[in-house]
Amino acid sequence: MLCIKIIAAIFILNLGFLDALNNKSFPPDFMFGCATAAFQIEGAWNEDGKTPSVWDTNNHRIPSVIADNSTADVACDSYHKYKEDVALLKELGASHYRFSISWPRILPNGTNDYINPLGVAYYKNLIAELKASNIQPLVTIAHGDLPQVLGDLGGYYSLSFPDWIRDFARVLFDEFGDDVKYWFTINEPYEVCIYDGAEKAYDCAANLLKAHAKIWHLYDEEYRSKQHGKVAMVLNLNWYEPETNKTDDIIAAETKMQFSWGFFGHALYHGDWPEIMKSRIGLRSKLEGYAKSRLPEFTQEEINYIKGTNDIFAFNTYTTSMVRAIDEPEIGDPTPEKDVGVYEYQPDDWISGASPWLKVVPWGMRKLLRWFKQEYFNPEIFITENGYSDATGQLNDPNRTDYIREYLSAVKDAMDYDGVNVIGYNVWSIIDNFEWNAGYTVKFGLVNVDMNDPNRTRTKKDSFYYYQKVCQTHCIVDQCID
């Protein structure tokens, strides 16, 4: 009996890893690559005319708000070592590389009254190095590093923000557009907005949707016909699984999906906010004594302007959560969590990476992809980030290899059995880097970076060699059947 209990416990613990691996090849044109962000890898935070970003300011607060009291002042030093990084991508066999362009490195004043030639030269050199290695550049326009000078003027909440970022995008299209076919406007807008509370978060979201739409329309009207690229916003979050098959839990999970993915995705594909957001926030706002809903109302002109401005569905995801129906939260100080009105959690017995929120749940990926297909009219889908963290950066990293293999198997299942149109996948990340408030305490890279070495020495991990095989063979197992 004890033996049976032990076996059962092991089965539950490893539930995500026990599905049969998909042994069919990905299509020859499927894009396998890696992703990074400028602030997290470049360093050179005050070199060659670059001014501080809001994250530079955050880094230098005293006392530190970073887990290990570190900064990204040097980070991986990719500003000086980009050729090494491109050489790693070439050895990997990556078809593409998703990176972001530092806004304050290109526009030190935040606006396009002055374009920094040294900043432009850096990215021109990076792109030339990529193209010489037959690696396609995929560019994120805004990935966290808003110029501090614009942050001081209201940042993401300023009514001028959509114009600021459109003008930045214009510079990028002019300087790099002939070589870039995939543009990602704003990375993870949910994370940009949601932590500022239930009164400001929705204003922020509306502003970012308008900003994204301005970039898309600019590209569509002035650049698409000659540069032939695609433009998308990068959404993020988890798959939300109902705790039981009870109707209340199923509704609760769908509510959570609409308040997370639908927060931005619904407006991009359907126009306007999801109905459940409008009804719940509107009712709770009224009961809280507000004269109107805390959720801004789009005009019909704004709805038409935003709708249809996503050329592909680009998203970052790492994990899954469970959702349970609960009683309606009490009326009082509003919070985004009360607006959703569900209970979200992750079981303790799910396998976790070093990041406590990152539970390894491959089956959630297939369900998420299927939901996107049904919700957003079967779009082309690009998985712009997916990866596993450990705490040591160890070279022998079987958990990362297992994670990539299992999640890619779920992706291929969704393609084969659910008809989901996935065109590409990025591991986060090619190298260990600065992970925002976690600093260097968690490592996501296929390549170790020694942050204690002034040379920031790079050393390939075992997972690099596994993903190299995937990139080169388009097969996640030893041998595919087709």
Side-chain angles (χ1 to χ4, degrees):
M1 179 63 72
L2 178 60
C3 180
I4 293 173
K5 288 182 178 180
I6 292 172
I7 292 172
I10 293 172
F11 175 83
I12 292 170
L13 186 63
N14 294 282
L15 188 60
F17 286 128
L18 291 182
D19 291 338
L21 290 171
N22 191 303
N23 60 358
K24 297 179 182 178
S25 298
F26 281 82
D29 60 350
F30 191 90
M31 299 170 66
F32 286 106
C34 295
T36 63
F39 183 80
Q40 296 177 261
I41 68 166
E42 284 181 3
W45 77 281
N46 60 356
E47 291 184 36
D48 291 344
K50 179 186 173 295
T51 56
S53 72
V54 293
W55 262 93
D56 288 311
T57 301
N58 193 53
N59 263 196
H60 297 134
R61 294 189 191 283
I62 300 174
S64 176
V65 296
I66 309 303
D68 55 359
N69 300 318
S70 63
T71 73
D73 290 359
V74 178
C76 308
D77 200 24
S78 289
Y79 185 74
H80 301 107
K81 298 172 74 69
Y82 70 90
K83 289 188 177 183
E84 287 188 40
D85 295 338
V86 175
L88 287 167
L89 289 161
K90 182 178 181 180
E91 183 179 352
L92 184 69
S95 65
H96 66 275
Y97 174 46
R98 178 192 170 213
F99 61 96
S100 70
I101 291 182
S102 169
W103 191 337
R105 197 179 295 286
I106 298 292
L107 301 180
N109 300 331
T111 56
N112 62 358
D113 60 329
Y114 171 70
I115 301 171
N116 179 18
L118 295 177
V120 171
Y122 168 70
Y123 293 106
K124 282 190 178 292
N125 290 337
L126 171 58
I127 290 171
E129 193 79 10
L130 289 167
K131 292 181 74 70
S133 300
N134 200 31
I135 299 169
Q136 183 175 175
L138 279 58
V139 174
T140 308
I141 294 170
H143 197 137
D145 51 356
L146 179 75
Q148 182 61 57
V149 66
L150 298 184
D152 293 341
L153 297 176
Y156 302 111
Y157 300 97
S158 171
L159 295 179
S160 297
F161 177 79
D163 291 330
W164 294 337
I165 195 171
R166 178 203 56 199
D167 292 346
F168 176 44
R170 181 186 291 279
V171 173
L172 302 190
F173 297 155
D174 285 340
E175 297 287 352
F176 314 114
D178 290 341
D179 293 315
V180 176
K181 303 308 174 189
Y182 288 87
W183 292 98
F184 302 115
T185 57
I186 301 168
N187 184 73
E188 299 188 357
Y190 183 93
E191 305 300 329
V192 173
C193 297
I194 200 64
Y195 299 109
D196 286 329
E199 295 190 52
K200 295 179 66 177
Y202 307 129
D203 289 335
C204 172
N207 217 27
L208 296 195
L209 282 164
K210 294 171 188 176
H212 162 82
K214 280 207 170 190
I215 298 172
W216 187 93
H217 284 286
L218 169 67
Y219 191 84
D220 195 55
E221 294 164 7
E222 299 186 30
Y223 295 91
R224 191 185 302 275
S225 63
K226 53 188 177 183
Q227 295 183 353
H228 310 290
K230 297 183 178 182
V231 178
M233 182 180 261
V234 177
L235 308 188
N236 77 294
L237 281 168
N238 307 345
W239 168 249
Y240 298 99
E241 176 78 3
E243 184 181 68
T244 71
N245 289 328
K246 295 178 181 177
T247 300
D248 286 352
D249 285 341
I250 293 171
I251 292 173
E254 179 64 18
T255 298
K256 180 63 180 179
M257 291 293 288
Q258 294 296 345
F259 266 82
S260 53
W261 298 102
F263 199 174
F264 293 88
H266 200 275
L268 294 174
Y269 285 91
H270 296 271
D272 211 353
W273 311 105
E275 286 302 320
I276 190 65
M277 286 187 68
K278 291 198 291 184
S279 61
R280 284 193 56 81
I281 297 171
L283 177 58
R284 291 187 63 85
S285 298
K286 182 178 180 180
L287 295 174
E288 290 158 352
Y290 287 83
K292 62 179 182 178
S293 176
R294 290 179 278 102
L295 185 68
E297 182 177 353
F298 288 123
T299 66
Q300 189 59 50
E301 182 180 8
E302 289 170 336
I303 288 171
N304 295 340
Y305 192 70
I306 295 168
K307 183 180 179 180
T309 59
N310 227 30
D311 295 328
I312 59 173
F313 190 89
F315 76 101
N316 305 336
T317 195
Y318 293 82
T319 191
T320 285
S321 298
M322 301 296 291
V323 173
R324 175 194 307 156
I326 59 174
D327 293 336
E328 185 65 34
E330 65 181 17
I331 297 298
D333 293 335
T335 68
E337 292 75 21
K338 290 179 182 178
D339 286 341
V340 183
V342 305
Y343 179 66
E344 173 196 348
Y345 69 99
Q346 294 177 308
D348 292 337
D349 58 2
W350 281 1
I351 300 170
S352 178
S355 305
W357 53 265
L358 202 170
K359 302 290 187 177
V360 182
V361 194
W363 51 260
M365 175 67 92
R366 180 178 174 185
K367 292 189 175 188
L368 187 59
L369 289 167
R370 188 165 53 208
W371 190 86
F372 293 151
K373 176 190 175 182
Q374 296 167 349
E375 188 72 13
Y376 301 130
F377 313 112
N378 193 21
E380 280 190 332
I381 294 176
F382 206 119
I383 302 165
T384 38
E385 288 181 26
N386 182 240
Y388 177 85
S389 65
D390 59 45
T392 64
Q394 63 205 53
L395 303 185
N396 175 247
D397 58 342
N399 289 343
R400 179 170 292 104
T401 294
D402 289 344
Y403 179 99
I404 295 169
R405 182 190 293 116
E406 295 287 339
Y407 272 76
L408 279 174
S409 181
V411 171
K412 192 63 168 65
D413 284 348
M415 295 168 67
D416 290 347
Y417 306 121
D418 304 322
V420 182
N421 186 16
V422 187
I423 64 170
Y425 173 88
N426 286 338
V427 168
W428 183 275
S429 174
I430 181 64
I431 51 178
D432 292 338
N433 55 57
F434 182 86
E435 287 294 338
W436 307 110
N437 280 333
Y440 303 108
T441 62
V442 295
K443 319 286 187 178
F444 278 88
L446 300 173
V447 176
N448 173 281
V449 178
D450 186 350
M451 297 298 176
N452 296 315
D453 180 356
N455 196 44
R456 295 301 193 267
T457 300
R458 280 105 160 111
T459 307
K460 294 183 285 291
K461 304 177 186 178
D462 290 348
S463 59
F464 176 96
Y465 296 105
Y466 170 74
Y467 193 52
Q468 179 185 58
K469 175 183 176 296
V470 173
C471 291
Q472 296 176 356
T473 67
H474 284 217
C475 177
I476 67 169
V477 295
D478 289 339
Q479 187 165 353
C480 284
I481 62 173
D482 58 352

